[in-house]
Amino acid sequence: MSTLPVVGITMGDPAGVGPEIILKSLNTKEVYQQCRPIVIGDARILDRAQQFVNTNLEIITIEDIGEAAYEAGKVYCLDMNLVPADLPIGQVSAEAGHAAFEFLRKAIELANEGKIDAICTAPLNKEALHKGGHIYPGHTEILAELTNTNDFSMMLSAPNLKVIHVTTHVGIIDAVKMINPERVYKVIKLADETLKKAGYTNPKIAVCGINPHAGENGLFGYGEEEEKVIPGVEKAALEGINVVGPLPADTLFFRTVRGDFDIVVAMYHDQGHGPVKVLGLDAGVNITVGLPIIRTSVDHGTAFDIAGKGIADEKSLQEAIRQAIELAPKRA
C-alpha cells in the first residue's frame, strides 16, 4: 500500500488553460514519485487538450478513486462528464462555469471523506461561474462555505515572499469597511499557525497599513490604522506572536524579500497580489489557510486569450502540486 499522498487536481474552467497545464504537469515521472495524482474534471476535454500540448498520455476514465493505479504516462480522470466534447475554447459559458464548480465540489467531498489528501485547483473564471448559477467571488469562498469554515484567508507563496490577506475579492471601498481589529488579529493568528505547521519556530510577521506611509500618525486617512489595525496587532502580540505593524506597504514587501520578515499581512487584494505577481506569474501559489483540508492553487487566471494554443506555462501548477504534497497529512 503506497503512503504517497493522493492529490486531487481540479480542472477548473474547461474552456481555459487548465486542461493544458494539467497535462504538461503530469507528463513527468517525478510527480508520480512524489504523489498519487487524480484529475477531477472531464476526460474528453483532457484528451482534446493533448493536441495543443503535444503529449501522448493515456487518459484513463474512472468512476471511483479506488480504480486508479497511478502509473506514470497515464492520467487518471474522475470523469464528471458535464460539458460537451466540442465546448468552445477561450469563451465564457454557463456550462463551463457550472462544471468548474462541480469539479471543486466533488474534490471537497472526497477530501472530507479522506479519499484524497489535498486539493490542487486549476483556474476558474468568475464570470462563467456566475453565469452557471454559482455566485461566489472565487475558489476560496466556495471552499469555506462547503467546509463550514468561518476563519480563513488567502495566502500567496512565492520565492522569498509570503503574503496573507485580511480582505480579498471585494472593491477597495468595501475592503476598508470590512477591515476591523478582530479580523486583523485572526489573520495574524492564521499566519502564525500556518508557518509554525510548516516548520517555522517563531515566524516574523509584518502587518501593512491601509493608507500611504501607514497613515503617518494621522497625516493620511482618517485614523484607520489606529481604529482598525493597531488593536488587532496588539492583541496578537500580547499572546506572544512575533508581529509588528502597521508598516508602510511601499517598503515592507522589499524588506520581506530581503529577509527581514517571514510573511506580510496585506489589508486588501491588490496590496498583496501586486508584489507577488511582480516576481512572476509562474512563481506564485495560492494557499487557502484555515480550512480543515489542504488546498493549493495556481496564482493566475484561465487565460482565455491563449487557451488552445499550447503555450500556457505550467510552472505555477507544478509548484502548487509540490506545495500540496508538502502540506498534505502523511499516510501511515
Side-chain angles (χ1 to χ4, degrees):
M1 179 69 72
S2 174
T3 59
L4 294 177
V6 180
V7 177
I9 305 171
T10 60
M11 184 179 282
D13 192 303
V17 296
E20 299 170 48
I21 60 174
I22 288 172
L23 290 173
K24 287 182 174 183
S25 297
L26 297 183
N27 195 31
T28 63
K29 291 183 179 179
E30 287 75 17
V31 69
Y32 290 88
Q33 293 168 352
Q34 300 170 48
C35 73
R36 291 177 285 171
I38 187 86
V39 178
I40 302 166
D42 191 291
R44 294 173 302 172
I45 297 296
L46 273 182
D47 197 46
R48 180 178 70 172
Q50 294 221 69
Q51 64 184 292
F52 310 139
V53 296
N54 296 317
T55 56
N56 192 30
L57 297 163
E58 185 179 355
I59 310 297
I60 299 178
T61 299
I62 61 173
E63 295 182 1
D64 184 85
I65 293 289
E67 299 172 26
Y70 306 105
E71 300 174 52
K74 299 178 180 179
V75 176
Y76 296 87
C77 178
L78 190 65
D79 189 13
M80 304 285 286
N81 193 26
L82 291 172
V83 294
D86 60 351
L87 178 77
I89 300 168
Q91 296 182 26
V92 172
S93 76
E95 286 176 309
H98 174 65
F101 175 85
E102 286 297 320
F103 300 156
L104 180 60
R105 185 198 59 75
K106 184 63 175 179
I108 294 168
E109 177 186 302
L110 293 170
N112 285 335
E113 293 173 352
K115 293 181 178 179
I116 61 177
D117 301 303
I119 298 172
C120 182
T121 57
L124 54 71
N125 181 279
K126 295 176 182 62
E127 183 182 352
L129 184 70
H130 291 184
K131 282 191 173 184
H134 307 287
I135 313 302
Y136 295 90
H139 273 116
T140 303
E141 293 77 12
I142 299 171
L143 283 150
E145 181 171 308
L146 297 187
T147 58
N148 296 313
T149 302
N150 293 317
D151 295 330
F152 62 92
S153 182
M154 175 190 294
M155 184 174 87
L156 302 182
S157 179
N160 303 317
L161 181 62
K162 288 181 172 58
V163 181
I164 191 168
H165 293 71
V166 173
T167 67
T168 49
H169 296 112
V170 293
I172 186 67
I173 293 174
D174 291 328
V176 174
K177 289 178 181 177
M178 290 171 63
I179 298 166
N180 61 68
E182 188 62 19
R183 174 62 180 166
V184 170
Y185 160 74
K186 286 179 177 178
V187 173
I188 293 169
K189 194 169 179 64
L190 283 172
D192 186 63
E193 292 171 349
T194 300
L195 292 192
K196 283 178 177 175
K197 287 178 183 176
Y200 293 74
T201 54
N202 187 29
K204 295 174 290 184
I205 302 168
V207 179
C208 285
I210 299 172
N211 294 296
H213 299 242
E216 202 163 307
N217 298 316
L219 183 61
F220 302 109
Y222 298 91
E224 287 86 358
E225 278 73 19
E226 289 76 12
E227 176 191 347
K228 295 171 173 288
V229 182
I230 291 174
V233 175
E234 291 177 342
K235 181 177 179 179
L238 284 173
E239 292 186 5
I241 295 175
N242 186 5
V243 59
V244 295
L247 299 175
D250 60 353
T251 55
L252 178 52
F253 292 95
F254 168 79
R255 294 179 61 192
T256 304
V257 171
R258 185 175 66 184
D260 294 3
F261 305 105
D262 296 311
I263 191 168
V264 174
V265 177
M267 292 295 115
Y268 51 90
H269 184 282
D270 283 14
Q271 186 182 63
H273 277 61
V276 171
K277 293 190 176 181
V278 165
L279 296 176
L281 290 177
D282 61 346
V285 173
N286 183 333
I287 304 168
T288 308
V289 298
L291 298 175
I293 57 180
I294 300 301
R295 179 263 176 161
T296 66
S297 177
V298 296
D299 186 35
H300 61 73
T302 47
F304 281 162
D305 57 324
I306 61 169
K309 297 181 179 179
I311 61 175
D313 197 315
E314 72 276 17
K315 292 188 183 70
S316 183
L317 182 61
Q318 289 175 334
E319 179 62 16
I321 294 171
R322 188 193 69 77
Q323 294 211 25
I325 294 166
E326 186 177 309
L327 294 168
K330 304 300 180 281
R331 288 184 176 238

